[in-house]
Amino acid sequence: DSAVVETDVLIVGSGPAGSSAALFLSSLGVPNIMITKYRWTANTPRAHITNQRTMEIFRDLGIEEQVLADATPHHMIGDTVFCTSIAGEEIGRILTWGNHPARHADYELASPSLNCDIPQTYLEPILVRNATMRGTQTQFSTEYLSHTQDADGVNVRVLNRLTGTEYTIRTKYLIGADGARSKVAADIALPYEGQMDIAGSMNITFKADIAALVGHRPSVLYWVVQPGSNIGGIGAGLVRMVRPWNEWLIVWGFDINEGTPEVSEEDARQVVRNLIGVPDLDVEITGISLWGNNEQYATHLQKGRVFCAGDAVHKHPPSNGLGSNTSIQDSYNLAWKLAAVLNGQAGVELLETYSAERAPVARQIVTRANQSGREFVKLFEALGIDKAESPEEMHALIESRKDNTPEGAAKRAAVQEAMEIKNYEFNAHGVELGQHYASTAVVGDGTARPEPERDPELYYQPSTYPGVRLPHAWVGDNATKYSTHDLAPYGRFTLFTGITGAEWTTAAQKVSDQLGVTVETVVIGPGQGVTDLYFDWAKLREVAEDGAVLVRPDKHIGWRSDRLPEDPETALKTALTSILNRE
Ligand code: FDA
């Protein structure tokens, strides 16, 4: 047996969950090693829609510009078409990902960052590069084999796939970010609900310049309703932009009960030509892969010193574009807690809040994504094609939506209604930004959680209620504009107050010194470091000017105080001690 390598955190996997965990830990100065089985990052585009919550996280970590440089921007991703083929007739469109003028304000108001589209093949190298530059030891072609844990750490057996040699890494904590077939999760026997492989999909990547067909209705997704598009898969045939407008990925379903199909390059080319609707289209097939649609989530994410994140704990179809986003957000929740425990700033029980806070999210997003896939059936029902027995019948039924008859009118109304439901897949702003944590790392203030004023899946409602995400407002001075998020960076706790709450500053300084935890006070008001430029923060903060809002490193509200109490120091210290699970 060769030498034992030591680290604080070992991360298995360099996908969105693993590479972001490495970036977060390295940014916080925690020594870490990231191993990954293959010689490089993702080899197919996979996840791509990158929502505002994730973009804010990238902004926090100082890599938002790098991501945007490789991304297709917000305004080019949302003219989502439903059609019989790309060159064929349209059934309808939805403006997606906040691109509808009536929804755009919600997105602009909610966050300093807009969403965008960046395929995993472009995103992972950015995350790996920045993590490695900041300190991560990245080991490619290195496979996790097994582990044992004791009271002080974890011994992990790994295989160097180049040399064929095995060695041991001794780590204080282990993160299994090893994807939907996670071996780490299996080894700690995480409990799951739901099923794997409930439907079959094939991904076909190809190159074809179809700018003339799509450039005037720019979108990342073009949904195609054709014979076969209601079998398996993710609800309908999908032509997905990888790079505008000459690199694409088609997702096409197959009947998983019939076994795994053999898909030749010629078969793939035919699927492409059918969905594009150009029989002699010049197509270069660049890849074909098959995958199973899953509906499964872990109900607990940790065993002792071992944690799982990402697809290892939530397995679901790409509907709603939540896979990579949620994976990164898992790691954002976990990394600061590991850092706080490793630095002796928090009790080890803080780590239990990772499961308490993220397992409900896993359940929520798995359910949402699967429901969105299933809701495509409403469009098939509206068109009357859910029971069509032949391609000819299907074609005739789609055509009949044009009829000048009462049935034709009813069909048109039904199609409109079915399209409306797709907002729950493509404009689910509340799902993306409205996550609420309940755990010992959140201290309530005795008030009840505000009732949502609008549909909580479609609409995000800003609040400073303990456990929710910090509302964004632009504040600053005559030279610079900051988001409230910019003023609450990942490396510390931040306390927001106003001028009459100035006393919080001294209180926070004292508590910070006593606990050895950085708590920075931001006083917002005229003449202070930043002022409430548009008077938005005053409307969002939900506490009096002399009250305070305590923001955790991950930008979730840890605690708030409606007014300045007689003894702000004790009030803050009690809250922070509780959040950090300190004695
Ligand atoms: P991910 O699977 O990305 O990464 C796992 C990592 O673990 C890899 O680096 C792998 O090398 C490593 N690993 C595994 N076992 C290991 C071992 N024993 N030792 C060492 N390393 C090991 N999502 C979406 O939103 N839109 C989409 O269109 C698609 N399409 C899509 C297609 C295909 C074919 C797949 C497989 C997945 C998708 N997804 C998707 C899902 C999306 O890719 C997924 O949600 C994220 O990649 C999850 O990120 P993770 O980091 O959790 O796992």
Side-chain angles (χ1 to χ4, degrees):
D1 205 18
S2 49
V4 174
V5 180
E6 291 195 12
T7 191
D8 279 7
V9 182
L10 174 66
I11 301 151
V12 180
S14 61
S19 56
S20 65
L23 175 62
F24 302 146
L25 289 167
S26 285
S27 302
L28 295 173
V30 175
N32 66 92
I33 300 174
M34 172 168 63
I35 64 167
T36 189
K37 196 166 164 180
Y38 304 104
R39 63 164 197 87
W40 185 229
T41 51
N43 61 355
T44 60
R46 299 181 202 171
H48 52 113
I49 295 289
T50 304
N51 67 33
Q52 289 181 291
R53 186 71 194 107
T54 305
M55 290 306 289
E56 288 168 3
I57 291 173
F58 293 158
R59 180 181 175 96
D60 188 15
L61 273 288
I63 63 164
E64 187 182 26
E65 294 302 319
Q66 293 175 46
V67 172
L68 287 173
D70 273 354
T72 302
H74 170 75
H75 71 272
M76 280 173 69
I77 65 176
D79 209 355
T80 296
V81 171
F82 291 69
C83 55
T84 54
S85 74
I86 303 278
E89 279 186 14
E90 287 199 22
I91 293 164
R93 293 188 202 178
I94 302 189
L95 286 166
T96 56
W97 316 113
N99 271 290
H100 193 294
R103 292 305 315 270
H104 203 258
D106 292 333
Y107 286 67
E108 284 234 325
L109 284 167
S111 171
S113 307
L114 283 174
N115 54 21
C116 66
D117 186 282
I118 179 163
Q120 219 169 312
T121 32
Y122 290 81
L123 180 61
E124 282 185 22
I126 296 175
L127 297 173
V128 170
R129 179 175 75 228
N130 283 282
T132 310
M133 282 171 68
R134 293 181 196 186
T136 299
Q137 289 282 359
T138 303
Q139 300 285 303
F140 291 102
S141 302
T142 302
E143 184 173 353
Y144 162 87
L145 298 176
S146 64
H147 76 266
T148 54
Q149 56 174 316
D150 52 61
D152 309 312
V154 191
N155 286 338
V156 184
R157 284 301 278 178
V158 305
L159 168 71
N160 179 326
R161 299 190 357 140
L162 279 182
T163 61
T165 46
E166 289 183 18
Y167 61 102
T168 298
I169 301 177
R170 172 74 177 169
T171 182
K172 291 177 186 151
Y173 295 99
L174 172 64
I175 302 177
D178 50 342
R181 301 194 185 270
S182 170
K183 176 140 177 29
V184 176
D187 288 350
I188 56 172
L190 285 186
Y192 288 95
E193 281 178 19
Q195 283 177 38
M196 298 257 297
D197 294 320
I198 52 176
S201 286
M202 68 182 78
N203 275 7
I204 301 168
T205 47
F206 64 99
K207 290 186 181 169
D209 186 350
I210 55 169
L213 295 173
V214 294
H216 58 289
R217 41 181 184 169
S219 179
V220 60
L221 305 177
Y222 299 83
W223 294 93
V224 182
V225 175
Q226 265 186 13
S229 60
N230 51 348
I231 298 167
I234 53 173
L238 171 65
V239 180
R240 179 195 131 191
M241 178 267 290
V242 176
R243 301 316 261 176
W245 304 108
N246 56 6
E247 273 189 58
W248 298 88
L249 185 157
I250 277 178
V251 187
W252 186 245
F254 62 84
D255 188 348
I256 204 163
N257 302 315
E258 309 253 296
T260 315
E262 289 283 328
V263 185
S264 69
E265 198 174 311
E266 208 35 57
D267 298 334
R269 186 171 289 108
Q270 198 53 53
V271 173
V272 172
R273 287 176 171 165
N274 289 348
L275 267 64
I276 306 291
V278 179
D280 57 353
L281 182 73
D282 192 10
V283 185
E284 181 193 340
I285 302 290
T286 54
I288 303 164
S289 55
L290 304 180
W291 52 283
N293 291 49
N294 306 315
E295 183 163 19
Q296 195 179 63
Y297 51 88
T299 50
H300 194 75
L301 318 182
Q302 171 200 12
K303 186 174 176 198
R305 294 175 168 272
V306 183
F307 302 82
C308 283
D311 274 15
V313 294
H314 34 78
K315 312 168 194 192
H316 55 91
S319 323
N320 290 69
L322 292 167
S324 159
N325 288 298
T326 307
S327 302
I328 291 164
Q329 292 156 23
D330 289 343
S331 295
Y332 194 62
N333 182 292
L334 177 59
W336 73 267
K337 295 175 181 173
L338 284 170
V341 170
L342 283 161
N343 293 335
Q345 296 169 326
V348 70
E349 295 81 13
L350 175 63
L351 299 176
E352 314 262 338
T353 67
Y354 168 64
S355 223
E357 295 181 347
R358 296 302 295 178
V361 172
R363 177 198 175 99
Q364 181 204 2
I365 61 124
V366 167
T367 308
R368 180 64 258 165
N370 277 280
Q371 191 181 335
S372 293
R374 284 193 280 269
E375 279 168 356
F376 266 97
V377 95
K378 296 196 194 293
L379 180 61
F380 294 113
E381 285 168 357
L383 289 164
I385 57 176
D386 51 317
K387 295 194 180 67
E389 285 182 355
S390 66
E392 293 72 27
E393 190 188 354
M394 188 164 176
H395 179 73
L397 284 162
I398 294 174
E399 278 296 296
S400 70
R401 79 189 193 289
K402 303 171 184 169
D403 290 354
N404 180 0
T405 59
E407 294 76 29
K411 188 169 264 194
R412 289 187 285 279
V415 168
Q416 185 189 338
E417 209 175 294
M419 293 286 284
E420 199 60 47
I421 289 168
K422 296 316 293 172
N423 282 309
Y424 286 89
E425 176 166 2
F426 302 122
N427 291 303
H429 203 214
V431 173
E432 293 169 359
L433 294 184
Q435 292 170 3
H436 166 252
Y437 296 156
S439 78
T440 58
V442 173
V443 177
D445 63 352
T447 62
R449 194 169 163 206
E451 285 297 317
E453 283 158 20
R454 301 188 284 179
D455 186 314
E457 286 194 287
L458 296 181
Y459 299 96
Y460 158 71
Q461 183 168 311
S463 172
T464 60
Y465 183 75
V468 304
R469 168 187 160 277
L470 169 69
H472 151 73
W474 291 114
V475 295
D477 57 26
N478 57 0
T480 317
K481 221 166 83 164
Y482 304 96
S483 167
T484 42
H485 280 230
D486 300 334
L487 302 174
Y490 196 50
R492 68 175 200 217
F493 282 82
T494 305
L495 191 67
F496 285 96
T497 188
I499 292 179
T500 47
E503 227 182 285
W504 285 107
T505 310
T506 342
Q509 189 55 56
K510 286 190 186 152
V511 173
S512 187
D513 291 345
Q514 288 162 28
L515 297 181
V517 175
T518 313
V519 187
E520 208 52 61
T521 306
V522 174
V523 182
I524 299 180
Q528 304 299 313
V530 288
T531 189
D532 190 7
L533 290 172
Y534 303 91
F535 307 96
D536 284 337
W537 175 244
K539 290 177 210 146
L540 290 166
R541 68 181 184 223
E542 293 177 344
V543 296
E545 190 193 77
D546 66 352
V549 175
L550 180 66
V551 183
R552 310 191 318 191
D554 60 4
K555 250 62 85 205
H556 278 250
I557 310 296
W559 171 74
R560 66 179 176 180
S561 176
D562 182 44
R563 302 299 304 257
L564 180 70
E566 249 170 62
D567 185 355
E569 184 186 325
T570 303
L572 179 62
K573 189 174 175 184
T574 306
L576 203 59
T577 306
S578 172
I579 290 168
L580 293 170
N581 284 264
R582 298 259 293 238
E583 291 304 312

